[in-house]
Amino acid sequence: MSIENPLILVTNDDGITAPGILTLIETAKKITNNIVVVAPDKPQSGMGHAITMNSMLRIVPAPIEGVKAFSCSGTPVDCVKIAMAKVLESKPDLIISGINHGSNSSINVIYSGTMSAAVEGAIEGIPSIGFSLCDHSIDADFIPATAYIERIIKFALANPMKKHTCWNVNFPALTSDLIRGIKVCRQANAVWEEEFDERHDPSGKPYYWLSGKFVNHEPNNEDTDEWALANGFVSIVPVQYDVTAYKSIDQLKELENEG
Amino acid sequence: MSIENPLILVTNDDGITAPGILTLIETAKKITNNIVVVAPDKPQSGMGHAITMNSMLRIVPAPIEGVKAFSCSGTPVDCVKIAMAKVLESKPDLIISGINHGSNSSINVIYSGTMSAAVEGAIEGIPSIGFSLCDHSIDADFIPATAYIERIIKFALANPMKKHTCWNVNFPALTSDLIRGIKVCRQANAVWEEEFDERHDPSGKPYYWLSGKFVNHEPNNEDTDEWALANGFVSIVPVQYDVTAYKSIDQLKELENEG
């Protein structure tokens, strides 16, 4: 029961001129000719679920062949919101975000603008998928990912996504022959251990650059996305935006009685 | 087994001069004299889990009586990260964020800088709580919240918070006599329906202001934070940062076999 010529909204967080989004658009063209792109006019990595509340937004037509495209002055989440409200004439059948230059596996899902755009799609009731490649470089090779992306998009169009969820898809930086297939996973428990690079400006005042070291707390657990990627698989984690820690509710009940 | 003179880190998203954070600091002083404040130097509402990757950060001492305080040029999550890495000499016993001017119940937890600071604390393994008042105004009355905040902080220090979780506490905008107590809840399923206010600049080009209407999809469900607040209770939702939609994993397994 796949959808004929589906309306697909494309966005990302690396900006509308990034090679990753251009590859994603080309891949989507194999499935539909009904594509609308609304993506940031500049890099918006690490913007998480930020929205623009204290300044105004612009959207400007962008010249991308064969699609209706706009650059937006806001965050990835702004792009989804303004696309839904001001650009699209009907609800899209699917929102795809990426291909991100760099991993959004594990805890990165929280910081990622790419994934936050997909989460925003889920909040608005649209099936949504974020795609990321574990390679930050501008000339990363996105081609091995494209066959998987096409397959995953077709699967999403044929199988209704569970309400209030989206998918987080990450690709290992490997050639096609070395990718071992798709693995459905949970988010690995990991953390970025902060390291701030302290420097001094010409007047001697300190300033800081955020860096950090990624530490996976469970490298041997085969059901995690980190394990899948480290072992040559494409990882898919279904993601929800209900962040209630249900298992903690009982502990807190005591607070209701006290006082 | 409460901690003697605990080290408490205080932050927020409304900025270091907001009345809400000053009230939170005064309340924390009743429990400890070991308080460090690292908060944004300007409003950072709606910044979600954004981090500053493409520019540098500054931290500057801020004059707040009786505490060690710094303003930071970054987001609320940056504040937590730089506090942990560059300001604090040891791990804090607790991170508190707020009191936010405006609700962070339901889906707002995703967009909120206040709550993202608490989530970042949880990621780093520190018990963390975000406090918010359902009143956006600058002269909101935070006093009715303070007795509850003191009680909740003491409870958090006496009862180890579950790992990988933090708490989202919201106060109804009511006088003390009308607040009916604390209710432990789950996050209500709601959405902001976008409305973009379209205007035109002097040269006739359009620009947009994000607004929107909050729509609660389950107003009658008494186990939600929205219901608690609408009915005069202080809401507490335990929050986790593992966003895996475990119930969707089976549906996706089919993708592993195909291709």
Side-chain angles (χ1 to χ4, degrees), chain B residues 11-81:
Chain B
T11 191
N12 76 342
D13 77 357
D14 291 314
I16 197 159
T17 61
I21 196 170
L22 301 178
T23 306
L24 189 56
I25 294 165
E26 286 310 308
T27 309
K29 279 183 184 170
K30 294 180 186 168
I31 295 164
T32 184
N33 60 22
N34 200 4
I35 298 171
V36 176
V37 180
V38 181
D41 60 7
K42 55 192 166 298
Q44 293 276 344
S45 290
M47 284 305 280
H49 215 95
I51 50 174
T52 301
M53 295 168 71
N54 294 319
S55 55
M56 53 94 172
L57 293 174
R58 298 271 193 183
I59 45 173
V60 176
I64 302 181
E65 208 186 302
V67 298
K68 197 173 158 186
F70 300 86
S71 70
C72 169
S73 60
T75 67
V77 172
D78 289 331
C79 289
V80 172
K81 284 183 178 286

Side-chain angles (χ1 to χ4, degrees), chain A residues 43-59 77-78 80-86 107 109-111 119-120 123-124 136 151-152 155 159-162 164-167 182-192 194-198 201 205-210 217 236-259, chain B residues 43-59 77-78 80-86 107 109-111 119-120 123-124 136 151-152 155 159-162 164-167 182-192 194-198 201 205-210 217 236-259:
Chain A
Q44 293 275 344
S45 291
M47 284 305 281
H49 215 94
I51 50 174
T52 302
M53 295 169 69
N54 294 319
S55 55
M56 53 94 172
L57 292 175
R58 297 270 195 187
I59 46 173
V77 172
D78 290 331
V80 172
K81 285 183 178 285
I82 206 162
M84 298 286 287
K86 290 287 166 189
I107 194 65
V109 67
I110 303 287
Y111 302 98
V119 169
E120 180 63 27
I123 292 170
E124 306 202 19
H136 274 97
R151 196 168 120 196
I152 292 165
F155 185 87
N159 298 275
M161 204 171 284
K162 280 221 167 102
H164 317 312
T165 68
C166 60
W167 299 346
I182 292 174
K183 206 164 182 316
V184 185
C185 314
R186 66 175 173 85
Q187 169 188 332
N189 180 24
V191 69
W192 282 95
E194 276 83 37
E195 286 160 16
F196 281 88
D197 188 3
E198 183 172 340
D201 67 19
K205 291 193 192 112
Y207 64 91
Y208 302 90
W209 285 99
L210 173 61
H217 289 315
I236 303 192
V237 177
V239 167
Q240 64 185 33
Y241 58 84
D242 177 0
V243 292
T244 308
Y246 288 94
K247 288 179 187 164
S248 295
I249 283 181
D250 279 348
Q251 183 205 12
L252 286 177
K253 283 280 180 190
E254 209 183 306
L255 260 171
E256 291 186 351
N257 309 324
E258 207 192 326
Chain B
Q44 293 276 344
S45 290
M47 284 305 280
H49 215 95
I51 50 174
T52 301
M53 295 168 71
N54 294 319
S55 55
M56 53 94 172
L57 293 174
R58 298 271 193 183
I59 45 173
V77 172
D78 289 331
V80 172
K81 284 183 178 286
I82 207 163
M84 299 285 287
K86 289 289 167 188
I107 194 66
V109 67
I110 303 286
Y111 302 97
V119 169
E120 180 63 26
I123 294 170
E124 307 202 19
H136 274 97
R151 196 170 117 195
I152 292 165
F155 184 88
N159 298 276
M161 204 171 285
K162 278 220 169 105
H164 317 310
T165 69
C166 60
W167 299 346
I182 292 173
K183 205 163 182 314
V184 184
C185 314
R186 66 174 172 85
Q187 169 188 332
N189 181 23
V191 70
W192 283 94
E194 276 81 38
E195 287 160 16
F196 281 88
D197 189 3
E198 183 171 342
D201 67 19
K205 292 196 191 106
Y207 64 92
Y208 303 90
W209 285 99
L210 173 62
H217 289 314
I236 304 192
V237 177
V239 167
Q240 63 184 33
Y241 58 85
D242 177 0
V243 292
T244 308
Y246 287 94
K247 288 178 187 164
S248 295
I249 284 182
D250 278 348
Q251 184 204 12
L252 285 176
K253 283 280 179 191
E254 208 182 305
L255 260 171
E256 291 186 353
N257 309 322
E258 207 191 325

Side-chain angles (χ1 to χ4, degrees), chain A residues 7 11 13 27 30 35 50 64 127-128 164 168 229 233 235-236:
Chain A
L7 173 57
T11 191
D13 76 357
T27 309
K30 295 181 186 169
I35 298 171
I64 302 180
S128 301
H164 317 312
N168 182 15
L229 292 162
F233 291 94
S235 69
I236 303 192

